[in-house]
């Protein structure tokens, strides 16, 4: 299965070129176009309960679309917000994705919801996160550009900008400055990322967009 | 292998109660960081032996990494806080695992050599955690204070806004409520009971706070002892109330109380409070569709006819003032409460007014105190009789 992320970084979309027998799963609603030789079936990914949990807590759609190529063909996947996409290979390791970031995965990947905790909630990253693990490639997207950083020690990331991180890094909330400047200076809560491992960040934040839209309503 | 098992018996017992003593090699799932792996990392099966940690990466091109326990530098962390990292001396190789039994397996395999380090890391983590929770609590408290401030701020702003709204707003709300509540079958305008109640209201009108309010009287054929006023001045009186009253002054007492609710604009205040809650909820939750649906439901049922205790007292006192200036003894109001209290035991189901107007003893004494504080006045009996109305109600 050959893939290409096109129109990076602003309007990234994923072109999947499939040979007969190739299959993958994608977020329902991500498909922009597909060849007639590709069949699409909708299923609960990882069972009903897991699907419902993912819907409620990780912001993912209730169903996953499974694409199977009966003859050679292609599928184009997009994401709702303008931004970049990234391909991440997993070799038996695990990655946590922020709600809504997931786009597609190869069949060897398991998807699940994991409890992220109160600290994550306060960091502005939600109580739950999507856990992807296994063997294969995962594609996820972000709002704006995506950049990754290999953590050794500690890094401060603005709340709402963290898209994905490995289980080997710890995240905890912190204040950008003192209490006063944090609450009234606009930066507010930040995330202190520490440990060893890779994180992915987005250049824009959804909270920022929401605030901008609100101020123009 | 058996030799290791015997040698470590004491340590295992000291550390955990449930380690299988005959299994000295245990396998866990975790991962490896090493530059020789594409992308620098991979998931791995980790085998703990008494000499070393072995990590076998999964999938194609599986590799085996080994880290001597004697060289192992421990760290604790990760997203869960339970991830155990073992690094070699130059940190070029890291084997990590967050399975629950892993620390115990490491400890027993190393004959307790790593225990001190584990203890140290855990206590460090605990102190970090408690510091963290301290700040988390402070932040949550601050957020709560801000939310509460916003909530009460909106409430106060709503109260002020209500007073500046024209009376036509009250009338509109009252009109909508009268349609949605559909309180029952009204008696004819010329019915002696309707005429009686209207006469009393007209008698009190000049002494109300808003004499040109559109007071309209509807008498409902219903045995409930009940009366209420809607915003804007629509007053509903149930025939059961007239039947249980002893004289026109007592009816006047209830009517003065209900007219006071209208002139004090308690209904509008109640609506604005609900709106204040909606606004505050919107700020805190972001989505209020369900709340609005719930709120409009409540508004149809009881919001406009049941008020807070403070509002009731306010209406009692304003009603008593109206009676006093109209030359009617405010004691009549208390008398009617007494009747309702005494009949409460016998006729619980039909005493609806009691359900929205509880705390009788308090209210009666409050009215009495207020009456005593008023300047002495010559009260005149109302030249109105309940007899015709009571007789005509009975015939219906
Ligand atoms: Zn009342």
């Amino acid at each position: 299965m050959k893939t290409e992320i096109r129109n990076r970084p602003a309007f990234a979309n994923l072109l999947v070129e499939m040979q007969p027998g190739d299959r993958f799963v994608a977020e329902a609603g991500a498909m922009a176009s597909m060849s007639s030789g590709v069949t699409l079936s909708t299923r609960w990914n990882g069972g009903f309960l897991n699907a419902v949990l993912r819907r409620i807590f990780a912001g993912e759609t209730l169903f996953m679309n499974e694409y199977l190529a009966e003859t050679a063909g292609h599928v184009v996947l997009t994401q709702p917000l303008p931004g970049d996409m990234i391909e991440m290979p997993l070799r038996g390791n695990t990655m946590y994705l922020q709600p809504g970031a997931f786009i597609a995965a190869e069949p060897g990947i398991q998807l699940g919801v994991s409890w992220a905790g109160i600290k994550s909630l306060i960091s502005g990253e939600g109580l739950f996160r999507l856990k992807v693990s296994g063997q294969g490639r995962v594609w996820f997207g972000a709002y704006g550009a995506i950049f990754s950083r290999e953590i050794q020690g500690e890094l401060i990331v603005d709340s709402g900008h963290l898209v994905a991180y490995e289980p080997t890094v710890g995240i905890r909330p912190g204040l950008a400055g003192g209490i006063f400047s944090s609450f009234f200076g606009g930066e507010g809560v930040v995330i202190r990322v520490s440990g060893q491992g890779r994180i992915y960040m987005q250049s824009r934040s959804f909270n920022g967009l929401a605030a901008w839209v609100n101020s123009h309503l | 292998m058996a030799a290791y098992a015997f040698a470590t018996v004491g340590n295992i017992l000291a550390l955990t109660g449930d380690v299988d003593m005959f299994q000295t090699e245990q396998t866990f799932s975790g991962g490896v960081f090493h530059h020789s792996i594409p992308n620098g990392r991979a998931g791995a099966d980790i085998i703990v032996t008494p000499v070393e940690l072995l990590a076998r990466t999964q999938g194609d091109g599986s590799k085996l990494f080994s880290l001597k326990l004697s060289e192992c530098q421990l760290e604790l962390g990760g997203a869960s806080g339970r991830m155990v990292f073992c690094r070699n001396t130059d940190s070029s190789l890291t084997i990590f695992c967050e399975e629950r039994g892993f620390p115990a397996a490491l400890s027993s395999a190393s004959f307790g050599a790593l225990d001190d380090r584990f203890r140290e890391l855990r206590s460090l983590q605990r102190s970090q955690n408690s510091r963290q929770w301290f700040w988390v609590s402070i932040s949550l408290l601050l957020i709560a204070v801000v939310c509460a401030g916003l909530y009460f701020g909106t409430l106060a702003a709503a109260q002020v806004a209500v007073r500046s709204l024209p009376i036509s707003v009250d009338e509109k709300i009252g009109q909508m409520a009268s349609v949605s509540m559909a309180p029952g079958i009204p008696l004819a305008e010329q019915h002696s009971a309707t005429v009686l109640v209207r006469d009393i209201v007209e008698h009190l009108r000049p002494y109300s706070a808003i004499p040109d309010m559109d007071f309209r009287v509807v008498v409902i054929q219903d045995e409930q002892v009940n009366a209420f006023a809607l915003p804007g001045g629509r007053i509903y009186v149930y025939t059961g109330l007239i039947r249980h009253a002893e004289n026109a002054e007592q009816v006047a007492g209830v009517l003065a109380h209900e007219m006071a609710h209208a002139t004090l604009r308690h209904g509008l205040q109640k609506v604005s409070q609900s709106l204040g809650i909606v606004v505050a909820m919107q700020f805190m939750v972001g989505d209020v569709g369900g709340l609005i649906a719930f709120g409009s439901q409540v508004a149809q049922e009881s919001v406009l006819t049941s008020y807070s205790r403070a509002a009731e007292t306010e209406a009692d006192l304003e009603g008593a003032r109206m009676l006093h200036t109209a030359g009617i003894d405010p004691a009549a109001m208390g008398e009617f409460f007494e009747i309702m209290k005494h009949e409460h035991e016998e006729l619980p189901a039909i005493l609806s007014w009691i359900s929205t107007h509880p705390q009788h003893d308090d209210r009666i004494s409050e009215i009495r105190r207020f009456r005593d504080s008023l300047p002495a006045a010559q009260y005149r009996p109302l030249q109105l009789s309940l007899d015709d109305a009571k007789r005509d109600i009975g015939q219906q």
Side-chain angles (χ1 to χ4, degrees):
Chain A
M1 202 167 74
K2 237 184 82 189
T3 60
E4 188 196 345
I5 300 172
R6 306 178 303 178
N7 306 106
R8 300 179 74 165
F11 301 101
N13 56 86
L14 178 67
L15 170 69
V16 186
E17 287 172 15
M18 302 175 81
Q19 296 305 314
D22 279 353
R23 65 173 73 219
F24 69 93
V25 293
E27 174 76 356
M31 193 265 289
S33 72
M34 62 189 258
S35 310
S36 56
V38 178
T39 60
L40 187 161
S41 56
T42 301
R43 62 177 173 95
W44 313 107
N45 196 302
F48 172 76
L49 189 66
N50 203 348
V52 171
L53 286 176
R54 277 212 330 273
R55 170 74 194 99
I56 298 173
F57 299 120
E60 305 289 338
T61 47
L62 196 53
F63 301 98
M64 282 284 156
N65 283 342
E66 188 178 44
Y67 298 85
L68 169 66
E70 286 172 351
T71 59
H74 75 269
V75 176
V76 176
L77 301 173
T78 58
Q79 59 170 346
L81 286 171
D84 203 0
M85 287 185 189
I86 210 157
E87 173 184 310
M88 181 175 61
L90 290 185
R91 281 166 239 282
N93 52 323
T94 300
M95 199 81 191
Y96 292 133
L97 297 185
Q98 275 321 103
F102 175 78
I103 293 169
E106 288 187 316
I109 299 293
Q110 289 89 48
L111 302 172
V113 169
S114 97
W115 168 256
I118 305 288
K119 286 183 189 174
S120 166
L121 180 74
I122 293 165
S123 307
E125 300 293 321
L127 262 186
F128 294 84
R129 59 204 167 194
L130 191 68
K131 181 181 177 184
V132 293
S133 55
Q135 297 279 349
R137 291 178 289 172
V138 176
W139 292 268
F140 62 90
Y143 179 40
I146 302 179
F147 46 102
S148 80
R149 185 64 79 82
E150 205 54 66
I151 303 290
Q152 283 286 1
E154 193 174 72
L155 185 73
I156 292 175
V157 178
D158 192 14
S159 163
H161 287 267
L162 190 63
V163 182
Y165 54 98
E166 286 190 281
T168 51
V169 302
I171 68 164
R172 58 198 170 86
L175 295 177
I179 285 187
F180 187 82
S181 61
S182 293
F183 270 90
F184 302 100
E187 284 301 333
V189 176
V190 295
I191 310 168
R192 289 175 187 276
V193 184
S194 60
Q196 180 178 8
R198 182 166 297 164
I199 62 168
Y200 292 86
M201 290 168 282
Q202 59 188 3
S203 63
R204 312 195 130 194
S205 91
F206 190 70
N207 293 344
L209 175 70
W212 187 84
V213 170
N214 269 339
S215 70
H216 285 75
L217 280 179
Chain B
M1 290 298 160
Y4 294 127
F6 279 113
T8 55
V9 162
N11 271 316
I12 290 168
L13 289 178
L15 290 159
T16 64
D18 57 356
V19 171
D20 182 348
M21 274 169 279
F22 298 100
Q23 191 193 343
T24 47
E25 276 186 10
Q26 292 190 66
T27 306
F28 299 92
S29 84
V32 181
F33 286 114
H34 194 259
H35 63 85
S36 71
I37 308 168
N39 215 9
R41 74 216 55 222
D45 295 321
I46 299 167
I47 300 147
V48 183
T49 78
V51 184
E52 60 193 348
L53 273 180
L54 295 172
R56 188 186 299 281
T57 62
Q58 299 155 354
D60 299 340
S62 167
K63 283 186 178 173
L64 188 67
F65 293 89
S66 150
L67 205 164
K68 286 206 171 57
L69 284 186
S70 56
E71 281 182 18
C72 171
Q73 307 200 348
L74 282 180
E75 293 292 335
L76 211 54
S80 63
R82 288 197 316 272
M83 185 75 81
V84 178
F85 298 84
C86 296
R87 295 182 221 281
N88 62 359
T89 33
D90 63 355
S91 290
S92 59
L93 172 67
T94 304
I95 296 175
F96 56 88
C97 176
E98 64 179 336
E99 275 195 49
R100 287 203 181 273
F102 188 64
L106 270 184
S107 162
S108 67
S110 66
F111 303 102
L114 297 172
D115 290 4
D116 284 346
R117 179 64 180 148
F118 262 122
R119 259 194 289 277
E120 196 182 319
L121 289 170
R122 288 215 173 95
S123 81
L124 192 72
Q125 200 172 44
R126 261 196 299 276
S127 75
Q128 263 174 1
N129 267 343
S130 55
R131 204 165 48 233
Q132 190 81 53
W133 280 113
F134 172 75
W135 284 111
V136 163
S137 318
I138 295 273
S139 317
L140 286 178
L141 198 72
L142 252 170
I143 291 166
V145 165
V146 169
C147 286
L150 263 159
Y151 172 70
F152 289 111
T154 2
L155 270 194
Q159 302 269 325
V160 172
V162 159
R163 266 176 240 131
S164 64
L165 288 173
I167 294 289
S168 62
V169 175
D170 299 55
E171 286 168 3
K172 194 151 283 170
I173 290 174
Q175 197 251 326
M176 286 184 337
S178 71
V179 172
S180 69
M181 289 168 72
I185 309 148
L187 293 183
E189 301 245 340
Q190 313 88 325
H191 191 283
S192 55
T194 315
V195 172
L196 171 82
V197 176
R198 195 162 51 223
D199 284 352
I200 299 173
V201 169
E202 289 309 318
H203 186 90
L204 290 171
R205 174 194 287 277
Y207 309 102
S208 82
I210 309 175
D212 56 351
M213 188 172 252
D214 187 16
F215 291 115
R216 287 191 225 178
V217 171
V218 181
V219 178
I220 304 290
Q221 179 70 51
D222 194 312
E223 276 309 295
Q224 293 181 57
V225 180
N226 198 10
F228 60 89
L230 290 179
R234 279 165 206 259
I235 294 164
Y236 291 81
V237 179
Y238 289 54
T239 49
L241 187 136
I242 299 169
R243 194 190 297 283
H244 283 86
E246 288 166 346
N247 53 48
E249 284 77 6
Q250 291 175 1
V251 178
V254 173
L255 288 172
H257 171 96
E258 293 303 333
M259 288 167 79
H261 274 313
T263 58
L264 294 166
R265 309 182 78 179
H266 286 156
L268 207 60
Q269 272 176 27
K270 199 82 189 282
V271 170
S272 75
Q273 276 171 16
S274 317
L275 283 178
I277 292 166
V278 168
V279 170
M281 285 299 282
Q282 185 149 32
F283 177 79
M284 288 184 275
V285 183
D287 171 36
V288 288
L291 195 81
I292 287 173
F294 176 73
S296 63
Q297 175 97 23
V298 170
Q300 286 184 6
E301 280 160 12
S302 64
V303 162
L304 297 177
T305 54
S306 71
Y307 301 112
S308 69
R309 189 173 173 162
E312 290 304 342
T313 303
E314 210 185 0
D316 280 344
L317 299 185
E318 167 65 5
R321 185 201 62 78
M322 283 166 66
L323 293 169
H324 172 78
T325 48
I328 302 167
D329 189 348
M333 214 167 162
E335 276 172 33
F336 190 72
F337 294 160
E338 296 271 19
I339 295 172
M340 301 240 283
K341 200 178 86 179
H342 289 136
E343 303 210 344
H344 195 190
E345 278 82 22
E346 300 157 39
L347 305 160
I350 59 168
L351 291 170
S352 307
W353 207 72
I354 286 184
S355 70
T356 55
H357 293 84
Q359 293 112 30
H360 287 266
D361 288 333
D362 291 4
R363 296 180 63 194
I364 293 162
S365 58
E366 187 106 25
I367 292 166
R368 211 163 271 154
R369 216 172 318 138
F370 180 71
R371 178 180 179 266
D372 294 344
S373 75
L374 292 169
Q378 199 60 44
Y379 295 125
R380 300 170 302 275
L382 274 173
Q383 300 298 321
L384 293 165
S385 159
L386 294 181
D387 296 346
D388 288 356
K390 280 189 174 177
R391 187 195 61 224
D392 292 347
I393 292 164
Q395 280 171 357
Q396 284 254 328

